[in-house]
Amino acid sequence: MPRFAMGLRYDGSAFEGWQTQPHRNTVQDTVQAAIAKIAGHDVTVYCAGRTDTGVHARQQLVHFDTEAVRPVSAWVRGVNNFLPSSVAVTGVKPIDPAFHARFSAFARTYRYYFYSSPVEDPFRPFMTWVHYPLNLEAMRKASQCLIGTHDFSAFRASQCQAKSPVKTLDRVELVDLGESCYLEVHGNAFLHHMVRNMVGALMEVGLGRESEDWVQEVLASRDRSKAAKTWPARGLTLWEVHYPSHFEVSELFDVRFVEA
């Protein structure tokens, strides 16, 4: 059966995560229902990374199989017509049946946005608010111990279903934008709540509650109870998913006005 790759972006605030649930209030259920309207039959959509409740995606890539013959405009504008404004298809293309949205990806990039201010700003809905000043340099230094291949059990949610807690992070970068900041994390794969738990640990350092070396101690302990709380989902975005270049899927996120 022919396979299609689809680019998505969404505001996850109102959804209870990506993965299908009986109540249907998930991104997967919403997208599958919209595609089915165009395909004329039920479809199953597979994603690059299953985002949690309240987590957003700037570049989420999915694939689905269908024998329905439709123009690209139907798979993009047609499906978008049946989606809420919080979800958008950015592009669709036929793809090699060997391609898999999850297993063909070799890396993922997440960003966690936050800002420090005496009062909360309602114009920053995708960022987490920190009421107190932060020592960003201390946070930056503390974060570097997370780079490399480690057992990340100390930053793993109890309900995580991953077979192994060992993951590889190639880059952990704290970027100061002036009025806000973000932590960008690039790695081969991630555990449930892993980024949000790492942010929680770094915040303890930034707030002066723990030393820069404490994050290394937590990592080495492999004990979730030694770490900090899980930080809110609203600041986290699946920023980019990386695939071998021959699949040519990056074009699915180019939303400039071009001829189909």
Side-chain angles (χ1 to χ4, degrees), residues 82-215:
F82 292 104
L83 289 172
S85 59
S86 55
V87 185
V89 175
T90 58
V92 177
K93 64 175 286 184
I95 201 159
D96 185 336
F99 173 84
H100 193 286
R102 178 184 175 188
F103 299 119
S104 295
F106 63 82
R108 294 155 182 82
T109 300
Y110 283 88
R111 284 188 182 182
Y112 192 98
Y113 279 86
F114 60 93
Y115 66 99
S116 176
S117 172
V119 295
E120 188 169 9
D121 186 345
F123 285 94
R124 300 181 186 182
F126 303 115
M127 300 183 187
T128 297
W129 171 48
V130 184
H131 180 70
Y132 300 101
L134 293 169
N135 184 336
L136 298 179
E137 187 56 32
M139 294 173 67
R140 188 174 289 112
K141 291 178 180 178
S143 71
Q144 296 310 288
C145 71
L146 301 170
I147 298 173
T149 300
H150 305 287
D151 181 329
F152 284 95
S153 293
F155 303 102
R156 179 182 191 176
S158 59
Q159 62 270 42
C160 180
Q161 299 176 359
K163 294 180 179 180
S164 171
V166 178
K167 304 298 175 187
T168 300
L169 299 185
D170 302 306
R171 186 175 71 255
V172 179
E173 183 178 7
L174 181 60
V175 178
D176 184 0
L177 300 174
E179 293 188 349
S180 63
C181 304
Y182 65 84
L183 182 76
E184 182 168 288
V185 185
H186 176 90
N188 65 337
F190 292 83
L191 302 169
H192 193 190
H193 288 176
M194 179 174 161
V195 176
R196 291 164 59 191
N197 288 336
M198 291 192 301
V199 170
L202 294 175
M203 287 294 179
E204 292 297 300
V205 176
L207 292 168
R209 298 170 182 166
E210 300 289 352
S211 68
E212 295 172 14
D213 295 333
W214 176 74
V215 176

Side-chain angles (χ1 to χ4, degrees), residues 15-27:
F15 293 103
E16 295 183 40
W18 164 267
Q19 192 168 4
T20 184
Q21 298 289 341
H23 52 63
R24 303 294 184 185
N25 185 31
T26 70
V27 182

Side-chain angles (χ1 to χ4, degrees), residues 59-102:
Q59 289 191 7
Q60 172 74 279
L61 197 126
V62 305
H63 81 259
F64 62 94
D65 298 335
T66 179
E67 291 182 341
V69 179
R70 305 286 187 269
V72 170
S73 60
W75 293 123
V76 179
R77 290 194 290 271
V79 173
N80 277 332
N81 187 55
F82 292 104
L83 289 172
S85 59
S86 55
V87 185
V89 175
T90 58
V92 177
K93 64 175 286 184
I95 201 159
D96 185 336
F99 173 84
H100 193 286
R102 178 184 175 188

